[in-house]
Amino acid sequence: PCIDIELPRHVQKEQRALTDEEKQKLRSAILPTKERLFLLLLYGTGCRPGELFALTKSDFDFKRGTVSISKSAHFNFNKFHSVSLPKTNSSIRSIYISESICKSLSRLFDKIPTENVLGGEDGQLMTRAKYNGLFRRMLSKAGLKGSGISQYTFRHNFCTECWYNGISIKECMRQMGHKDYKMILEVYS
């Protein structure tokens, strides 16, 4: 029955960086600990969402200002499935985080009783829907509900800011976990 049906063409959504107004709203939003932590990690690391969800306190070295990315959370539709290696070999990396993000994160870590940074009350990873809900609440409290901002907008923003701050393409590739420069030049810059 579907032989003569033509499927609509999928159009890739254009990625963008955050505007100055959006950044200001996010900075001034009053957020509970978990949402503030999620925001700081999204904004300050440029990690993929699965990499963020798998982060543990032991992945952070606040003296050196680095976070080690060596794993990623994987979901089967909505339900958490496993933590395993990230997307590619290039995705295993140690990335630098700014001094201000380090200070803010270290203060928030004292309020988290579990090793898993973005885990639920029991420390276990939550469902994808709960993470998405956390993200939507964060945007709503910042007055950005319906703004089109996704978790990947923060990744795009991180790379764009690296680029505009004179970080070399090679270092930008390493920070983002890409194996070649094409993605940086074609998508982010």
Side-chain angles (χ1 to χ4, degrees), residues 26-163:
L26 288 163
R27 272 193 293 274
S28 61
I30 298 170
L31 302 171
T33 301
K34 189 69 77 173
E35 291 168 14
R36 175 66 57 192
L37 187 59
F38 196 13
L39 172 62
L40 288 169
L41 290 170
L42 282 168
Y43 188 82
T45 65
C47 288
R48 296 173 182 96
E51 295 169 345
L52 283 184
F53 303 148
L55 287 174
T56 59
K57 289 180 180 179
S58 58
D59 292 323
F60 290 82
D61 183 341
F62 292 121
K63 289 180 183 168
R64 291 181 49 218
T66 61
V67 60
S68 176
I69 310 299
S70 61
K71 55 195 173 297
S72 183
H74 302 278
F75 296 85
N76 187 359
F77 297 101
N78 182 43
K79 190 176 179 186
F80 166 69
H81 181 263
S82 64
V83 172
S84 60
L85 292 174
K87 190 174 179 180
T88 65
N89 287 341
S90 304
S91 298
I92 299 170
R93 62 206 187 275
S94 180
I95 59 175
Y96 296 104
I97 47 180
S98 74
E99 188 177 328
S100 62
I101 297 285
C102 274
K103 285 179 183 176
S104 297
L105 287 173
S106 66
R107 283 192 301 265
L108 289 173
F109 274 24
D110 293 338
K111 299 177 183 178
I112 301 169
T114 61
E115 175 67 9
N116 190 305
V117 176
L118 288 174
E121 296 299 320
D122 59 357
Q124 299 301 312
L125 290 178
M126 302 183 291
T127 63
R128 185 183 298 271
K130 286 189 178 180
Y131 285 116
N132 290 339
L134 185 68
F135 182 73
R136 282 191 304 274
R137 283 191 306 278
M138 179 188 74
L139 290 181
S140 182
K141 289 176 182 173
L144 295 170
K145 186 177 181 179
S147 61
I149 295 174
S150 71
Q151 293 171 29
Y152 275 91
T153 302
F154 287 89
R155 183 168 164 76
H156 186 93
N157 186 76
F158 181 85
C159 188
T160 302
E161 286 192 9
C162 285
W163 179 262

